[in-house]
Structure formats: C-alpha cells, structure tokens
Amino acid sequence: MSKKEDLEVYWNKINYAFPILNGTLYSDCTNEEYEEIQEMIVSLGIQIRIRDLILIHIEKYLRQHVVPSFWSKFIKSDVEVKGFQLFKTAVSDLYESVTNFSGILHKLTLLNNSCSDNMPIFGEKDVLLGFKQLLRATLLAQLPLEFQYIIYFFYKVSFNVFDNEYENSDMGDDVMCSGCWNDYSDCNCAYIVKVFHDTNRKLMELQLLERLAGQVLTNFIQMRIESHIQKLCTGTFDVSHIAFLENWLDTTVMSWLTRIYCAGSSKPPPDDKNVQNAISKFKQKLSYYLYHSYTKLRIDQLFNIIIEYPDSQPAVDDIKLCLDKTDLRPTLCKNLQTALETRLLHPGVNTSEILTAYVSTIRTLRHLDPSGVILETVTKPVRNYLRNREDTVRSVVSSLTEDGAGSELAEELAKFAGEGDDENDKEDLWDEWNPDPVDADPKVNSGDRKASDIISMLVNVYGSKELFVNEYRTLLADRLLAQSVINTEKEIRYLELLKLRFGESQLHFCEVMLKDVSDSKRINALIHQDNNFEASNDKITCNGMILSAQFWPPFKDESLELPVIIKQLLENYTKSFEALKGNRTLSWIPHLGNVNIEIEIGVKKLELTVSPFNATLIMHFQDKPEWSLDELHQVMKVPVTILRRKITYWQSMGLITEKSTDYFVLVDGSDANKSNVSTNQVQEMICEDEEAESVMASAHDQREGELQVFWSYIVGMLTNLDSLPLDRIHQMLKMFASQAPGTECSLQELRQFLDTKVRTHQLVLQGGMYKLPKT
C-alpha cells in the first residue's frame, strides 16, 4: 500500500468518527471503534490539528444551520398565543440540535484529553462548556432586530396563567378563564404551564436564559409592577400599601421567577449557588424598582395627600420609608414645589385656602422629614407669595381665633399652650439624634429648623410679631364693636392663649379693650338708673360703648350728622357720664355702633339691626317722604357717592324707591306690601355683608398714620443738625419711639417713608444725606 492510500484510509476513519467534518452530525461509530481511531490519531501525532479542525467545522455548522434555523422562527406577531408557540418551538428545536452534538462532543472531549497543549476551548477548559459558549456567541452575533416581541409574549402569557392560577376555579364552563382567556371548557392553562417550565429548563441547560430573556423579563416585570401599583394605589391614601406590594412581589413575582430559573421548582436547589445568586440579584433589582415606582406615583399625588392629611398619614409613612430606599428626594422637592406654585400661588385661590394648604403642607412634611430640610426647600415660594398678599396677616389672625371647622391654627395655638414645658424633655432625647440629610443648607442651624412650630413659620413669613398683634387688635376691635351681645369669656380665652404665644407686653392694649367692654356694661347700667337721663328719652334707649381711645386702633375717618333727637339724647348721656365720672367726658363717634329699629309702614312691620348711617337715613324719610341725594347730602354731611351706595340697602328692603334719577321716595303702605318679593332674603344677606365692613382703618392707613408721627421728630432733627444719613435718623428715632404697638420702625420702612418725602419735595437726598429743602 502506498503512503497516499494510507493517508486516505486514515482520513476516512477520522471522518467516520467525526462526521461534522463532512457537514453532518450522525455516525455509526461505536465507542470501541473510536478508541482504535483515537489511538491511530495519537500515534500519528496529529491530535491537536484534528481537534482544531473539528472545532472549526462545529463553529461553521452552528453558524450556517443551527442558529439561522433558531432565529427564523422569530416572526413578529400581534397574537400573544402565537408568539408563545413560536418561542417554544424555537427553543425545542435548538435544544434538539444541541442534543444531536452530544456524540461528537463526547469524542472530542476524549480527543482533547490526549492533547498536551492545554488550550482553552472557546475560553473554557471543558469542551462542553466551550461548545455552549460558542453557541451563545453565535446566537447573539446573528440577533434579529425584533426578537424581544416573541420572548415578551411567551412570558406574558405564562405570567397571566400563574397570576390567576387559583382564581375563579369554581366558575362554570360559560365563564372565561382569566389566565389563558379561553372558556373554561377549553382552558389551556395546564398546557401553558407545562410548556413554560419545559422551555425554561432547556434554556437553563443551554445557559441561554439570562442572555436571551434576562432583559425582556426585567422589562416585563417592571411593567407589571407599574400596572399593579397603579391599580392598587391610585387615589387611596388612608391605607399603607408597602406591605401588600412587598408580599405580592414575594409570593407572585419572585415565586414565578424562581420557577423560571429552577425549571418549575418553587425553591432554588441548595447546592446551586449560581441560581441562588441570580434570583437574589433579581429580587434586589425588582425591590428597588418597586419602591421607586411606588414613590414616583405618590410624589405625583403628593399635593392631594397633603390636602387630605392627617387622614392620608399611611401614604406619608409609605413615602417616608421609600425615600430611605431610593434617591428621589430631589424629585419630590421639585415636583411638590411645582404643584404648589401651579395649584395654589395664583390670584384665583383665596388667601385662607392657601394658608390651609400651607399649614397642611407643614404638618405633612414635618412627619415625612423631621429634619425640616424638605419643608424649608419646598415652601420657600409659598412664603414669598404670602408675603406679597395684602390680606395674609388678617387671614392668619382670623384663623387663630376661629371656632369650628377650618380652625387648624386655633387648635395649633391651644396645642402650643399645652406644650410649653417640653424643652427639657427634648434635651433628654440626645441619643435619638440623627445628622441632617446631605441636601440640608449648612448655614441653617438644624435645631432652629426643627424647633419652629406652625405659627412661628407663619409669623416668620413677615419676620415680625407686631404685624400679627396689630392685626389681632383690629379684628378684636371689629368683633367687639360689631356684636350686640359680646362673648367676653371667649375673647379672654383667646387673648390668654395669644399672650402665651406672643408675650404679655405685646397684648396689653387688647386687655384694656376687653376691660372697656365690661366697664361699659357697668356704666350703662348706672347711667340708666339716673332719673334725669331716663326722663329725657321715653321712646329711644341709648347704650354707649365707652372706649379708651389711646388703646384702640384708629377708626375710619367718616362724617355723619345725626338727627337732632339723637344728638340731644347723646348730650344727655354725656352729662350723666360726666356727673358719674367727674373730670372725664365723652367724644362720640357717630358712624360707629348698631341701632335696633322698628319700622311700621302700612301693614308691614320690620325689626332690624342696622348701622347708625342707615338708621339716620330712614329717620329723615320719617320726617319727609321725598328726598333728593343733594338734600340728603346737605342734612347728613355725607358725600353723594357714599349716599348713593348706602341707600340701596333700603331699596332692597322695599321701603325706598328711586322715583327719578337721584330722587328717592318712601314707599307707601300698599306699595310696601307689593314689594315684599321672594328675593328679599337674598338681598338682605347682600346688604348685611356690606354692613359687616370693618370700621377700623386699613392696615396701610394705620401704618401711614403711625409713621407720620415720626415726621415732626425728623423735621426737628434736620432743622438743628442740617443733614443726617439714614442710619443716624433711625437710631435717633428709636430714642423717641413710644411703647405703643406698631410705632417701631425698621430701617427699610424708614427708607421707604423718607423716599416718599423726597418724591413730594419735602426732603432732599444728596450724597446719602437727607436734608430739608431751602425755602
């Protein structure tokens, strides 16, 4: 035999043992026959070359036959069940193809063991592991664009079955199965479960599960987590959902994932650390995503959660827990700040509503973040906006002394009184100290941030207690003068609470005001016992509210000429008062107070409580039934514009009618009956609102008057010293400031006041020095 013929015999034997060299996988070569062939290969010293050649042909066969066949089944389909079947078929065929390599791989392992070069097989020491690595690399190298659709449908169908496995099991055949969406008579869930476990087992054996399906599984489960959170938690704030969501993640999602990685088993094998680690990492990733998704949902709903607090405290507790597990603090601050600005800080929202939401925000965020950092960040625009609203202080003070619904600040005031001695207790809690969050402003003392109560935060919007005390004086004066029966005990109770909050000295004037009320009752009783006073007015009864002028806020400057009979009555009252008090007298303010009047016109009889203005107006019509506005102006000494506005009260009551332009006539008896229309009650309410206007000067007018007190001092300074800088004027004014509330003047306020005087040419500003203009 020639050498060429020998080589041909050898080659045929090698091809018989390794048919992959001829592009096929099937061979009848037995183990005994292969042992002889391998001895021949080794004796020829070509085992390394033959091994490398076989590996090249295996790679070529995978690339040209196995992998294209696998990807060819990934046809995009909108039908979920079809996608499920396509993926199942693709994995089964791939698994079968890989199984067909088992004979060749076994022989190749024996051949590789005879090689002395210890070369890695595709990066692996073991032939079988190297083959799987080659398979994975070749599969991913030919990855089609839309392969994820089919995998997504496969896991979606199986998850639906798993999630609804034990639901509706006792329903009749005419009801649709919520797992596979077939009628119960054609339920396909058992088949889906079997195929699902079998397919995952094959993918695990091929070590392809993570690489093919890992990202698809992650995306799918994240979508299911989001939809489950939306379904469970939207719009409900009074129940904590974290425990339910964690339980659902453990019992449903992770149980399903465990079955994927463990071929249907509910627990990972104790000896397989790789599977255990894979499941553990998946759980960490999904737990974070669960907290993250739930927190983002709650952040989007946080404005509504705040409005419903404290009923929504379970939702706040959930957010607090999740913020420690996620990085969403900046997102929460930004979103909530935007929500507050969008939904609160515009002219369409009443100041009282903004304050209610602000108080609720303070309470909610204090519970959410005890450090106060989130509160400080989020509410800054609210504070700036409230500072620019003219009625903020009045709304705050009204809320502080309100009864019933909406009296959150009144509750806060009472709570402050009961918590006055808690400072020592707080010092004992040093072991519960926690550092500030990383986003805290280092320039702000953490103790100050945590210590501020709600009322302090509202006061700090303006930075001065005096504004609030002055506004309370004005409101108290309004209440005391507007009520015919004054609840002194209630007012004293509120005053005592405010004294605890703002200090005794700040509210001394209010104490005098309340004392004036009780003194007035006593003086009225004594004056009515005077026989001379009683004899002077048998038809009209007069009770005076005697005020200590220097302790009350300034009143609106209005003129009103009272009827002669009333003026005489007030003079008699004054004489009785002087007889009673010796060296003291009374200066009447005619437009203030209440008048109880009884009107009879025809068969119509009315008993009303009106202002002195309206009482005077109707009394003139008693003397003369027809009046022009100009005539009323002459007799009452009131501007025509105010008369025209005020007379509408009696028009709405059906007692006065406008006969012609600016000419009014008292309605006679028969017309009065006709005018008693059904809208009278509504009209009375409108007029009562007008009657309830404040009798005090506005805060702006009061402040202007208070600052004007300083003008004479400033003129005296500049007359003697020629010119002075702003700081020097301010320091000198402090020496002359009285102890009355409101008479202190800040540097900024003084600057604005002096600039006004400069604009009106009453002062000259030159080089930062103020001086009087030359005459």
Side-chain angles (χ1 to χ4, degrees):
M1 226 181 198
S2 66
K3 187 174 181 181
K4 183 179 180 181
E5 289 174 343
D6 289 343
L7 290 174
E8 188 173 340
V9 170
Y10 297 154
W11 182 248
N12 288 335
K13 288 184 178 182
I14 293 170
N15 280 336
Y16 177 66
F18 296 101
I20 190 70
L21 298 172
N22 291 321
T24 182
L25 300 177
Y26 303 102
S27 171
D28 296 328
C29 179
T30 63
N31 291 334
E32 290 79 8
E33 290 173 326
Y34 177 71
E35 287 179 7
E36 294 179 4
I37 295 171
Q38 181 168 321
E39 287 179 7
M40 175 198 73
I41 294 171
V42 172
S43 64
L44 293 172
I46 56 174
Q47 61 267 37
I48 293 176
R49 292 182 181 180
I50 297 298
R51 179 199 65 192
D52 292 346
L53 186 63
I54 292 168
L55 290 174
I56 290 171
H57 279 78
I58 288 174
E59 182 182 0
K60 181 181 177 182
Y61 189 90
L62 287 175
R63 187 174 66 251
Q64 293 180 350
H65 300 286
V66 176
V67 172
S69 174
F70 176 76
W71 290 126
S72 67
K73 300 178 181 67
F74 282 68
I75 305 165
K76 187 176 179 181
S77 171
D78 294 330
V79 182
E80 294 176 0
V81 175
K82 184 178 179 183
F84 179 88
Q85 288 290 355
L86 285 171
F87 187 66
K88 172 255 181 185
T89 303
V91 174
S92 295
D93 290 354
L94 178 66
Y95 187 79
E96 184 179 349
S97 297
V98 170
T99 304
N100 292 335
F101 273 92
S102 58
I104 294 173
L105 293 174
H106 174 68
K107 295 168 188 169
L108 184 61
T109 301
L110 296 174
L111 180 62
N112 185 55
N113 292 338
S114 66
C115 298
S116 57
D117 59 351
N118 294 321
M119 188 189 80
I121 308 298
F122 298 109
E124 302 285 349
K125 293 182 179 181
D126 181 79
V127 168
L128 187 58
L129 294 176
F131 173 77
K132 290 180 179 179
Q133 179 76 334
L134 173 64
L135 175 64
R136 290 193 295 273
T138 311
L139 277 170
L140 296 177
Q142 298 184 24
L143 206 63
L145 285 175
E146 298 178 338
F147 78 101
Q148 292 184 332
Y149 284 99
I150 303 303
I151 303 175
Y152 175 81
F153 286 151
F154 178 82
Y155 287 104
K156 182 178 180 181
V157 168
S158 62
F159 186 83
N160 286 341
V161 171
F162 184 83
D163 201 18
N164 297 279
E165 187 174 358
Y166 300 107
E167 294 184 12
N168 305 325
S169 57
D170 57 345
M171 303 300 286
D173 291 345
D174 58 333
V175 178
M176 181 178 287
C177 171
S178 56
C180 61
W181 303 110
N182 292 328
D183 288 345
Y184 267 100
S185 56
D186 299 322
C187 180
N188 210 22
C189 289
Y191 169 76
I192 290 172
V193 171
K194 181 177 179 299
V195 168
F196 174 69
H197 291 324
D198 186 56
T199 303
N200 287 319
R201 178 185 58 80
K202 291 173 180 176
L203 287 172
M204 283 296 290
E205 286 187 28
L206 296 173
Q207 296 182 358
L208 284 171
L209 180 64
E210 187 64 36
R211 287 166 178 80
L212 278 184
Q215 190 58 49
V216 179
L217 271 173
T218 301
N219 294 342
F220 168 71
I221 294 172
Q222 287 177 349
M223 288 174 62
R224 291 303 294 238
I225 287 173
E226 285 184 9
S227 63
H228 187 74
I229 289 172
Q230 290 281 352
K231 178 181 175 183
L232 184 68
C233 310
T234 301
T236 56
F237 308 136
D238 56 349
V239 177
S240 173
H241 292 292
I242 284 293
F244 295 108
L245 291 171
E246 289 174 337
N247 183 61
W248 175 78
L249 187 69
D250 277 338
T251 58
T252 302
V253 177
M254 290 312 303
S255 179
W256 180 67
L257 274 174
T258 302
R259 284 174 165 80
I260 291 175
Y261 280 90
C262 302
S265 173
S266 60
K267 291 183 180 181
D271 55 341
D272 194 334
K273 298 298 181 184
N274 291 332
V275 172
Q276 290 177 4
N277 290 337
I279 294 173
S280 177
K281 288 179 180 178
F282 226 133
K283 183 174 181 180
Q284 287 179 356
K285 185 162 52 174
L286 294 179
S287 293
Y288 176 81
Y289 192 81
L290 177 79
Y291 294 125
H292 192 277
S293 301
Y294 179 69
T295 310
K296 287 201 73 174
L297 174 70
R298 285 304 191 216
I299 287 174
D300 292 340
Q301 301 167 340
L302 189 52
F303 183 84
N304 294 329
I305 291 172
I306 285 172
I307 297 302
E308 293 187 21
Y309 191 83
D311 293 339
S312 59
Q313 184 172 322
V316 180
D317 289 332
D318 282 353
I319 299 173
K320 186 177 182 180
L321 175 68
C322 292
L323 284 180
D324 292 336
K325 298 176 181 290
T326 60
D327 54 353
L328 291 174
R329 277 176 69 98
T331 304
L332 183 145
C333 292
K334 183 179 178 182
N335 286 21
L336 180 55
Q337 197 172 72
T338 302
L340 289 172
E341 291 174 352
T342 304
R343 299 178 68 172
L344 278 185
L345 308 186
H346 56 82
V349 185
N350 294 331
T351 302
S352 59
E353 294 173 355
I354 296 176
L355 286 171
T356 301
Y358 182 46
V359 170
S360 191
T361 302
I362 293 172
R363 288 177 170 171
T364 306
L365 297 184
R366 278 271 171 79
H367 184 76
L368 177 66
D369 175 33
S371 71
V373 173
I374 294 178
L375 176 63
E376 184 181 39
T377 305
V378 165
T379 57
K380 187 175 181 180
V382 183
R383 296 195 297 273
N384 293 338
Y385 185 80
L386 285 173
R387 191 178 295 121
N388 295 323
R389 276 219 173 185
E390 293 182 358
D391 60 339
T392 300
V393 180
R394 175 161 285 245
S395 297
V396 172
V397 175
S398 298
S399 299
L400 281 171
T401 55
E402 267 183 4
D403 279 331
S407 58
E408 291 181 330
L409 289 182
E411 293 174 9
E412 203 62 35
L413 189 63
K415 188 171 76 173
F416 176 85
E419 293 178 352
D421 299 324
D422 283 351
E423 292 302 317
N424 293 332
D425 295 341
K426 291 177 182 176
E427 291 179 5
D428 292 338
L429 300 178
W430 60 269
D431 55 334
E432 296 181 12
W433 175 86
N434 283 313
D436 279 346
V438 292
D439 53 341
D441 185 350
K443 292 179 286 186
V444 178
N445 186 294
S446 61
D448 294 341
R449 192 190 298 119
K450 296 173 187 176
S452 296
D453 59 282
I454 291 174
I455 297 174
S456 292
M457 293 191 72
L458 290 170
V459 172
N460 289 339
V461 167
Y462 288 88
S464 168
K465 293 180 181 179
E466 289 189 359
L467 277 171
F468 288 84
V469 172
N470 287 344
E471 195 62 47
Y472 173 66
R473 280 178 71 212
T474 304
L475 282 175
L476 179 62
D478 268 333
R479 280 208 295 267
L480 295 179
L481 296 177
Q483 300 168 12
S484 55
V485 179
I486 300 168
N487 187 348
T488 314
E489 289 183 4
K490 172 188 159 187
E491 297 298 346
I492 289 173
R493 178 164 56 87
Y494 280 128
L495 179 59
E496 291 300 321
L497 290 173
L498 288 167
K499 281 163 65 177
L500 288 171
R501 188 64 187 74
F502 293 102
E504 294 268 352
S505 60
Q506 297 274 352
L507 291 153
H508 172 64
F509 282 35
C510 297
E511 283 187 294
V512 176
M513 290 163 63
L514 286 171
K515 186 175 183 297
D516 284 346
V517 173
S518 57
D519 287 349
S520 297
K521 292 179 183 177
R522 181 174 50 81
I523 292 170
N524 277 318
L526 292 171
I527 288 177
H528 282 296
Q529 291 173 10
D530 186 341
N531 294 330
N532 294 329
F533 177 71
E534 285 293 323
S536 67
N537 52 94
D538 53 346
K539 291 184 179 180
I540 305 174
T541 304
C542 174
N543 287 299
M545 176 77 81
I546 300 158
L547 313 179
S548 305
Q550 68 270 33
F551 292 98
W552 285 69
F555 300 104
K556 282 184 179 176
D557 189 14
E558 294 184 7
S559 60
L560 175 65
E561 186 73 18
L562 297 174
V564 175
I565 187 174
I566 302 299
K567 289 170 72 175
Q568 184 61 49
L569 177 63
L570 297 183
E571 285 178 14
N572 293 338
Y573 189 99
T574 302
K575 288 177 182 177
S576 295
F577 179 82
E578 289 172 346
L580 183 66
K581 287 290 186 177
N583 61 346
R584 295 176 66 185
T585 188
L586 297 176
S587 175
W588 293 92
I589 306 175
H591 64 278
L592 297 185
N594 296 311
V595 181
N596 298 320
I597 60 173
E598 186 177 295
I599 300 174
E600 288 187 22
I601 182 165
V603 295
K604 189 173 185 180
K605 186 174 181 180
L606 297 172
E607 291 184 1
L608 300 169
T609 300
V610 296
S611 67
F613 187 101
N614 281 334
T616 302
L617 188 63
I618 201 66
M619 282 184 75
H620 285 305
F621 279 89
Q622 177 180 322
D623 300 331
K624 176 183 168 184
E626 297 183 5
W627 291 82
S628 69
L629 272 182
D630 190 57
E631 289 172 335
L632 287 170
H633 162 65
Q634 296 296 330
V635 71
M636 293 178 65
K637 311 296 185 190
V638 173
V640 172
T641 52
I642 296 177
L643 276 169
R644 185 180 287 110
R645 178 167 61 89
K646 294 280 191 179
I647 205 168
T648 55
Y649 177 79
W650 294 116
Q651 286 180 276
S652 69
M653 298 298 292
L655 298 181
I656 292 176
T657 184
E658 191 171 8
K659 189 175 182 180
S660 60
T661 305
D662 291 346
Y663 195 78
F664 296 90
V665 179
L666 185 67
V667 177
D668 64 26
S670 58
D671 290 340
N673 291 335
K674 292 176 185 175
S675 66
N676 190 16
V677 293
S678 60
T679 58
N680 273 356
Q681 290 180 338
V682 177
Q683 290 165 337
E684 285 175 33
M685 289 172 62
I686 295 169
C687 296
E688 284 170 9
D689 286 343
E690 189 174 3
E691 289 297 311
E693 288 179 0
S694 174
V695 297
M696 301 295 124
S698 69
H700 180 267
D701 293 341
Q702 287 186 46
R703 194 58 183 155
E704 284 292 315
E706 290 163 359
L707 292 175
Q708 201 64 37
V709 172
F710 294 127
W711 179 237
S712 60
Y713 291 111
I714 295 170
V715 171
M717 291 178 206
L718 297 178
T719 300
N720 294 323
L721 301 172
D722 187 43
S723 63
L724 287 171
L726 176 69
D727 291 346
R728 180 66 176 151
I729 295 173
H730 185 245
Q731 289 171 3
M732 293 179 72
L733 283 177
K734 281 184 178 181
M735 298 169 63
F736 300 105
S738 71
Q739 296 303 310
T743 52
E744 291 185 8
C745 179
S746 69
L747 192 65
Q748 180 65 26
E749 207 169 19
L750 179 62
R751 186 196 306 276
Q752 292 172 355
F753 178 70
L754 295 181
D755 288 347
T756 303
K757 295 297 182 183
V758 170
R759 286 194 295 272
T760 57
H761 307 292
Q762 293 173 272
L763 278 181
V764 173
L765 177 61
Q766 188 173 5
M769 305 288 281
Y770 290 93
K771 61 174 65 177
L772 294 172
K774 293 180 179 179
T775 56

